[in-house]
Each structure stands twice: as structure tokens, then as C-alpha cells.
Amino acid sequence: MSTATSRVSARTYAGGLPAEVTSFIGRRHEVAAVKRLLADARMVTLTGPGGVGKTRMALRVATDLRRAFPDGVWLVELAELDNPALLPQAMVAALKIQSHAARPPVQVLTEHLRQQRALVVLDNCEHVLDESCLLAQALLRSAPELRILATSRQPLGVVGEQEFPVPTLPLPSGDPQNTMSDAVQLFAERATAVLPDFTVTDENQDVIEQICRRLDGLPLGIELAVVRLRVLSVHQLLDRLDDLFGLLSAGSKATASRHRTLRALIDWSHGLCTEHERLLWASLSVFTGSLDLEAAEEICAGAGLPHDEILDLMIGLVEKSVLIREEHPYGVRFRLLDTIRQYGRERLAASGQEQELKRRYRDYYRRLSREAQAQLFGPGQAELLTRLRAEHPNLRTALEYCHAERAGLCIDMASDLLDHWITSSHLGEGRDWLEQGLAQAAGGSEVRARAFWACGSLAIIQGDQTSAIGLLAKSRTLGEQLGLKSVLGYVELYSGMVAMHAGDTASAVRSFEEAVTHHRADGDPAGEVQALTWLTLAHSFLGDSERAVAAAEEGIAICDAHGESWHRAYTTAALGIELWRQGDPRRATTLEHESLHVFHDLDDPVGVGLTIEVLAWIAASQGEYARAGELLGVLRTLWEAIGAPLLGFGHLIGYHDECSARTRCDLGEQAFQAAVKRGARRTPEQVLAYALKQEAPARCRSGAADQYAPLTPRETEIARLIARGMRNKQIAAALVIAQRTVEGHIEHVLCKLGFNSRTQIVGWVAEQARRTGERPPGGE
């Protein structure tokens, strides 16, 4: 709970699990017992009160079992999910399933997991208990090799579920011959994060043991109490705890003493805050997910909280371990633990300010969505899309508030988020918001007209052409009635895509040309470039090379003038297809490589699939059939995950089939299947390097520093000290730096290497030493 426990963002999770930043104390027997239960039972639920350590123990078990589950170990965090109905969508996102097909999310999950030997950790199920039970039962029925490890304050009630009550940490036995108890070890470990020189001595051990007993060995309670060592001695801390719990001791032992202990500690933390810190704590509880400073200042300022004090107040809450600081790809974010957030929400409700804070929260995220949509066609595109991904839980809650007040607010915001739904693989959720709002909103307005075509575009990407046709017709009617050039431009754009899918390319060309005219007149470069990209594809498909190249070059010029990269990558990929058709594979390959870099950086699976398709066709046309076979194997895995081959670009399927047939004919069936299997086994990183014709970076043998890239020299030094068996406190002393600084470097090392534990760092350092002929650090 201390600032040293700050977690990395979900997008830096390695293999589905967050990295361990602080050491895991004790629980050896419990972890072993849960692993034995999972060997026999397909679902195990760790139960216990808040703060007992269910999540941390589940993550340790999951990390230890990673090798037993070749198809992945995945964490699904439910604490930030307010709407139980969105549980399946949340799980699809957590498992990084990039399905674009128009299928219910439960079906997407069951089909994805059906043949997989995987472990899914459902964390914090208590507030979505019934939905968690139903989803777990559906998945376990359909996926025979699936195991589920859940954490909850009570069992889920799934047939065959094994419950494991998580005990508190063992307390001191009183026997001076026994080693330090787990509770005291945790106290000592976390105390060094507050006071780097802190040690357990003969003089203070008895007091520390008494503190741990007063806290019932509750891990969160210990972490909350340890923070007080910044201003209190251990003796003073014990005295304060005696005063705090004095009244509690009169109660019955049967009345959940651990709940009372944790509540009293949070009350104490609340009491130690200044009046303004307490107000901010309550205000921050309105956030569902993590937040940044800007959001805190915009939403929480007012009602007694000056805007210019928010930063200092947040620093105070971080120092008191109320807020957890996190590093995200584009900046620092903050999070309230679920127990702390629920406490804050109680205070917010009692303050009478809850509805006002919810209104500000809703309006802030509506404004963020609108501004992001307006700025996406420009140089800040990647950062904006990354931020929207980080804000997804808050965007979802804001949409719920919009929908509860007025359906028109919901569809307006959901339309602004169209690019977010596409790039973050939340197509189904985005379409659900639009369809729900459109079903309830009435009348003819520009907002409804835009929502109809936005919903239609998502239906097209999902392969639901029938629904798309109906939605676009309604949008066209409103657009014509209201004289909305922008609406009519997008209706023509997406109608052209429907015509392309139906094989009516000539009609598609007319629609795309109309779209260009409307968007140009309306001053919408994003719409114009999309229409020009599809004109390129359509002209190319009809064999009109001159017009195809002209449309592409015009689109690229518009993108370059605005510093835009995502739409440019699609235009470049389309031009690459035409150049390949003209017999210029070298230039085509260069363009596809350029696009692939962009799609990979933006995590756009459809774009990645499109460029790898073209690279496979190029390979086959040049007689590189083994390479073409491996790329087809990559595509098999990618398109199966998405839901259909060449989704959205179905008119190109003939090129795919021709490539596959030529490659199979040249290699023979056995060699063809072997090549496909090799490609299908490649990791995303290997796929990128192979598609770009890049070998994995060679290890430098000329010096000790270079082989540790991409680590900085300081990170390399710390990694080697970890390999020597040194703990954080020892490393800090050896390097004469603060222990918090050491923990920050370790977090960066874990993130850069994609690891979850110090043990992996030790193995990695040893491997580097072996490759370079150095003596391993542990042997120095």
C-alpha cells in the first residue's frame, strides 16, 4: 500500500500479469496448497476480507504456474467495473482478444478459449458475483482445459468450485528460538521503503510483534500502519494503535474483527489527512479507473478545493498511501485501491456533493472525447489514442451517466469515440452504446444522423453488412432532410465499402467520389483521406492504375500536411497493393513495411493483418514460397483472433486464395503445412521482425555494457546486484541511493524485459553472462 507498491499500467503487463515490484512475503504453504487445488479442480476461489492479500496471493500463484499454461495466464481486474453487464467485454479486453466479428462477447470468449490450456484470474468478484458465476460456468463448460482462479469476499457458487479462505499472515509465536514471522517480515520490508535505515533489532522487535498482533496480521493493515513511521517511532505507533482499537476490544470476537480492524485503520488514515485532503479523497472516489492530474484538477476543484491546491493535496495523499502512483506510456497516473475508493464514496455520498461531482465527471469525459475526436487527425494521434485506452473505465462510466440522463448525450459521446472503439478493439461495446442510445433517442437531429453512420461503420468492420445497410439508410435520410454534408459524406464512404464487399466496385467508385466531394466541401480531411484510400483500392481492383496512384498520392499529401500517420498508413498500404500489381515488388514492400510500423505502434490488428497479407502475396510472386507459407501461418492466427480473414477488405480475398494455392503447389502439402505451423507459432515480436525481414538484434560481445541493452547503465548495475542476491535495501546502501529509487529502477527493468519477478531478472543476467563468457554475478 505504500508508494513503493505502485503498479505499472495494464498495457505494460507481461504475458497477461502485472510485474511484481515489491517482494512477496511468506504464504509459501498457502501458495502450494492453492496450486495443488488447481491441479485437481478447474475453479478455485480465494476468499477473505478486504486487505487480507487475496489479489497478491492469486498473482503469485498465477506467476508460478505460467509454464503449466502454454496458452497464457491472464488477469481480469473487476474492481473498476461498475456495470456488471459489461463483465464479458471487460474480460475480452483483458485477454487481449481482438475480435472484430459481430458476435456476443460471451461467444467470443468461449470460442477463443475452447481449445486453450489457460489460467484466468478473476480479481475482486464480490460486487459482480452473479455475473461472475454465470460467466465462469459458461467458460468452464465450453473450455475443458481452462482453469479459473478467482478472488472474492465470498464464493461465487460455481459447480465444482473449491474455496480457499486466505488467512492473515502468521503472527509471532512468542518462542525466541523461532525465526521472524511473516507479519514482522512484511512490516520490516515495507518500513524500509519509508525509512531506508530501518532495521528490526533486539530493542524494537517485541514492539513490532505487538503491532502486528494488534493488526491481526492483516497485510493491508500493516502497510497502512507502517506509513506512520515517517512521523512516529514504533513505540508511538503501538500506543496510537492501542488507543485506536481500545473501544473495538469490547465487541464480540465473532463480529468480523478483521473488518473492524481495517475500517479503523482507514478511519485513522482519514483522520490524519487535512480537511482539504479528506475532501479530495472523497472527490477522487468518483473515478472508476485511474486518473491523471489534469482530470483531478478539472473535476475535483471547487466546493472548497481551490484549483491551485490540487497538486499539493495529491502529493499528500500519495505520501499517506491513499493514492497509488503509476507510470503509464504517456505520463503519470494515480489510482485508489478498491477498499480506499469505497470508503471515499461513502464520504462523498454523505457530503451531499455526489451528484455534482458525477456531473463534472461526465462533462469532463464528454469534453475529452470531443476534443480527442477533433484532434485525432494530426501529430498527437498516437498519444491521444493511448490516453483514451488508459481512460477506458472512466469513459465507460461517463457513458453510463450520459445514458441515464439523456440518450442523446450517450450517442453523441459514443460517436466521438469511434476511432477509440476501432483501435482499442472495443467494437462490440461501442456498437452497444450507439444502438442502446439510438433505440431510446427520438426525433431527427445531427447527433442521431451521425450516430447512425458511426454505428453502421462498426457493423461493417464486424462483417454485419445487413445491419450496416439499414443504419446507413437512416443516416442518409436525416442527412438529406437536414442538409448535412458531413453526414452524407460518411454515408457515401461506408455505402461504398458495402458495395465493394458485394462485388459492385463500379458503384463503390461513385460513392467514394461523392464522399470525397462532400468531405472536401465540409473541410473534413479525415473523411476525405478515407474516401481517397478506398478510391485507391477500388481503382486498383478495376485495373485503373493511373487513378489508383493519383488518389493515393493525394491522400498521402493531405496526411503529410496535417502530420497524420494512422490513415496515411492505410493509404500507403493501398498504394503498395497497386504497385505490387504493377510489378514493382521492391517499392511495394517498402510501403508495406512503412505501414506495418505504424499499425504495430498503434496496436491496430486489422492494419497489421492487411500489410502482412500484401507481404505474403509479394513473397509468393517472387518465388519466396517458404516465406509466403510462414506469413500465411501468421495470418491464420491473426485472422482467427479477429474473427474473419481480411475483415473490412473482403474484396481482396482472391489475392489471398491465389497466394495460398501457389505456395501450396510449389512447396507440396507437407512442406506447406510445416511452414504455416512455423508462422503460427511466432510471437508478435517475432512476427514483426520476420515481416520486416529483420533478424533479432545480435548480442554484442565486445563489452559488458552493450549486452544489457535496452537497460540503462544504472538499471544494468541494479540487475547485476539482484543477481548477486541483494535485497532492495542492500542495493540502495551499496549504490548510496534511496530505496524508493531502487524500486523505481527495478520496475523499469521488469517492464523493459517483460518480466514479473526478480527471479526472472536473475536468470536473464546469468544468460547474458553465459553468452559473453563473463563470470555470472552470483559467482563474483
Side-chain angles (χ1 to χ4, degrees):
M1 178 79 192
S2 70
T3 54
T5 65
S6 63
R7 292 175 13 221
V8 295
S9 72
R11 287 192 57 77
T12 60
Y13 286 5
L17 296 177
E20 286 184 350
V21 178
T22 56
S23 55
F24 183 81
I25 304 295
R27 306 286 200 195
R28 182 165 56 90
H29 297 297
E30 292 91 337
V31 168
V34 173
K35 285 156 66 172
R36 286 195 296 271
L37 284 176
L38 279 170
D40 298 323
R42 298 188 55 214
M43 177 162 185
V44 176
T45 300
L46 308 184
T47 59
V52 79
K54 302 184 294 294
T55 297
R56 191 68 191 268
M57 184 170 158
L59 291 175
R60 171 45 63 105
V61 170
T63 299
D64 288 353
L65 291 176
R66 289 176 73 168
R67 289 188 178 181
F69 294 96
D71 294 310
V73 177
W74 303 95
L75 171 65
V76 184
E77 297 176 288
L78 303 180
E80 61 186 24
L81 187 68
D82 281 345
N83 186 346
L86 294 175
L87 174 58
Q89 287 97 319
M91 189 168 176
V92 168
L95 269 62
K96 297 181 174 62
I97 303 172
Q98 296 178 317
S99 175
H100 287 53
R103 295 174 293 171
V106 174
Q107 182 182 348
V108 171
L109 287 167
T110 55
E111 291 179 359
H112 177 79
L113 293 169
R114 180 167 288 126
Q115 303 298 326
Q116 293 201 358
R117 181 170 177 78
L119 172 65
V120 172
V121 180
L122 293 177
D123 189 33
N124 288 302
C125 297
E126 54 272 350
H127 67 299
V128 287
L129 202 67
D130 293 342
E131 292 75 12
S132 297
C133 175
L134 292 173
L135 181 58
Q137 287 185 155
L139 296 178
L140 290 171
R141 279 198 303 267
S142 63
E145 295 298 316
L146 175 69
R147 294 289 190 275
I148 296 177
L149 178 60
T151 73
S152 176
R153 297 187 186 182
Q154 67 186 90
L156 273 63
V158 174
V159 176
E161 173 187 21
Q162 291 288 314
E163 179 186 2
F164 184 90
V166 177
T168 55
L169 291 173
L171 295 165
S173 65
D175 184 350
Q177 301 301 317
N178 285 351
T179 57
M180 192 184 299
S181 70
D182 289 346
V184 172
Q185 284 188 53
L186 178 63
F187 186 100
E189 175 83 12
R190 300 304 185 253
T192 56
V194 178
L195 300 172
D197 294 330
F198 182 88
T199 56
V200 178
T201 66
D202 292 340
E203 288 73 25
N204 66 18
Q205 182 165 350
D206 181 63
V207 178
I208 294 171
E209 291 176 351
Q210 291 183 61
I211 290 172
C212 292
R213 288 194 186 93
R214 297 298 283 130
L215 297 171
D216 291 327
L218 198 65
L220 182 56
I222 292 172
E223 298 204 21
L224 282 170
V226 161
V227 177
R228 314 300 167 222
L229 294 180
R230 289 195 178 98
V231 293
L232 300 175
S233 69
V234 290
H235 294 85
Q236 291 172 320
L237 177 58
L238 177 60
D239 290 341
R240 296 295 181 102
L241 289 175
D242 285 337
D243 293 340
L244 182 66
F245 297 136
L247 294 175
L248 295 179
S249 62
S252 167
K253 286 293 184 183
T255 56
S257 65
R258 289 165 189 158
H259 285 289
R260 297 200 313 273
T261 297
L262 185 58
R263 178 71 184 203
L265 279 166
I266 298 176
D267 281 337
W268 186 22
S269 294
H270 192 260
L272 291 174
C273 293
T274 66
E275 180 183 353
H276 281 184
E277 286 174 343
R278 289 195 289 268
L279 283 173
L280 182 58
W281 181 346
S283 298
L284 292 174
S285 70
V286 76
F287 290 89
T288 304
S290 63
L291 61 132
D292 60 15
L293 177 61
E294 176 194 308
E297 289 176 332
E298 292 297 316
I299 295 170
C300 301
L305 287 177
H307 186 282
D308 58 4
E309 289 186 16
I310 298 295
L311 172 59
D312 290 337
L313 294 174
M314 290 186 71
I315 292 172
L317 291 178
V318 170
E319 290 175 345
K320 293 178 176 66
S321 292
V322 173
L323 271 180
I324 295 176
R325 181 184 185 277
E326 300 179 336
E327 290 286 347
H328 277 248
Y330 72 92
V332 175
R333 294 182 68 81
F334 304 89
R335 183 185 297 275
L336 292 166
L337 288 180
D338 187 48
T339 306
I340 304 298
R341 181 171 61 248
Q342 293 303 325
Y343 182 95
R345 286 185 175 179
E346 292 176 18
R347 297 284 175 167
L348 181 61
S351 73
Q353 295 293 313
E354 183 177 16
Q355 292 307 312
E356 172 63 17
L357 262 295
K358 285 184 175 180
R359 183 192 63 77
R360 286 192 222 153
Y361 176 90
R362 177 204 69 198
D363 290 348
Y364 174 81
Y365 283 105
R366 279 189 66 203
R367 187 167 62 253
L368 174 66
S369 303
R370 184 168 56 250
E371 291 174 353
Q373 191 275 334
Q375 298 170 21
L376 271 173
F377 195 82
Q381 185 178 71
E383 182 176 333
L384 283 168
L385 291 172
T386 301
R387 182 178 182 188
L388 291 177
R389 286 193 186 105
E391 295 285 8
H392 186 75
N394 291 313
L395 294 170
R396 176 186 284 154
T397 302
L399 282 163
E400 290 176 5
Y401 293 162
C402 288
H403 190 267
E405 180 170 336
R406 192 169 74 251
L409 294 179
C410 175
I411 59 175
D412 191 29
M413 180 175 171
S415 298
D416 284 335
L417 292 170
L418 178 60
D419 286 341
H420 168 63
W421 304 129
I422 294 171
T423 59
S424 63
S425 296
H426 289 298
L427 295 175
E429 183 177 342
R431 188 174 169 188
D432 285 346
W433 285 117
L434 288 164
E435 288 180 341
Q436 289 177 41
L438 285 167
Q440 295 183 21
S445 67
E446 182 175 357
V447 170
R448 278 176 60 80
R450 185 168 71 120
F452 276 124
W453 69 249
C455 195
S457 73
L458 294 176
I460 290 172
I461 298 173
Q462 290 184 311
D464 187 0
Q465 307 295 323
T466 301
S467 295
I469 291 170
L471 290 162
L472 293 172
K474 292 177 181 178
S475 184
R476 183 189 296 277
T477 298
L478 287 175
E480 290 174 345
Q481 289 175 355
L482 301 173
L484 302 172
K485 291 185 180 297
S486 175
V487 167
L488 294 174
Y490 282 104
V491 169
E492 291 292 355
L493 169 64
Y494 296 119
S495 295
M497 292 170 65
V498 171
M500 285 286 285
H501 182 269
D504 189 356
T505 310
S507 294
V509 167
R510 290 192 292 272
S511 290
F512 295 142
E513 289 173 342
E514 282 291 320
V516 169
T517 300
H518 284 302
H519 290 309
R520 190 169 289 160
D522 195 51
D524 181 358
E528 186 179 355
V529 168
Q530 291 179 72
L532 287 168
T533 300
W534 277 94
L535 262 180
T536 300
L537 291 167
H539 285 312
S540 176
F541 194 71
L542 291 173
D544 192 340
S545 297
E546 183 178 350
R547 289 184 178 180
V549 172
E553 290 177 343
E554 187 177 358
I556 291 170
I558 294 171
C559 291
D560 290 344
H562 289 79
E564 200 277 342
S565 59
W566 183 39
H567 293 300
R568 186 187 193 281
Y570 274 104
T571 311
T572 302
L575 180 57
I577 293 172
E578 174 54 29
L579 292 177
W580 164 69
R581 285 187 63 259
Q582 292 180 15
D584 190 348
R586 184 185 60 80
R587 288 180 61 203
T589 299
T590 299
L591 292 175
E592 298 304 329
H593 284 176
E594 182 181 326
S595 296
L596 180 55
H597 276 296
V598 176
F599 293 138
H600 178 267
D601 290 344
L602 291 175
D603 199 19
D604 179 354
V606 174
V608 169
L610 175 62
T611 52
I612 292 178
E613 277 281 0
V614 184
L615 292 171
W617 308 341
I618 293 171
S621 66
Q622 293 186 297
E624 298 177 5
Y625 294 110
R627 175 176 170 78
E630 288 206 40
L631 291 174
L632 289 170
V634 169
L635 291 165
R636 176 181 294 180
T637 301
L638 192 151
W639 293 133
E640 284 178 357
I642 288 175
L646 282 163
L647 198 61
F649 299 90
H651 70 284
L652 300 174
I653 197 70
Y655 296 140
H656 174 95
D657 292 342
E658 181 184 352
C659 171
S660 181
R662 289 179 62 182
T663 303
R664 177 182 275 106
C665 179
D666 183 87
L667 294 178
E669 187 63 27
Q670 185 175 354
F672 174 77
Q673 293 299 336
V676 168
K677 287 180 180 178
R678 286 196 304 273
R681 287 196 298 264
R682 289 184 179 273
T683 66
E685 293 74 19
Q686 292 171 338
V687 166
L688 182 66
Y690 187 70
L692 295 173
K693 293 189 175 181
Q694 295 174 346
E695 297 298 325
R699 298 289 182 184
C700 177
R701 297 176 180 267
S702 61
D706 289 341
Q707 88 256 16
Y708 289 99
L711 303 187
T712 66
R714 176 65 87 183
E715 290 164 354
T716 297
E717 189 174 19
I718 288 174
R720 291 174 62 83
L721 293 176
I722 290 172
R724 292 175 60 180
M726 295 176 69
R727 300 175 71 86
N728 293 359
K729 182 179 178 182
Q730 295 170 312
I731 294 172
L735 301 180
V736 197
I737 57 177
Q739 184 167 334
R740 286 189 191 178
T741 303
V742 172
E743 289 165 349
H745 283 306
I746 293 173
E747 180 177 341
H748 293 152
V749 170
L750 290 167
C751 291
K752 287 182 177 181
L753 299 180
F755 291 163
N756 295 82
S757 69
R758 298 166 73 99
T759 303
Q760 290 174 294
I761 295 176
V762 173
W764 181 82
V765 172
E767 174 63 16
Q768 307 313 304
R770 183 189 67 77
R771 292 190 180 198
T772 59
E774 288 186 66
R775 189 179 182 186
E780 291 177 357

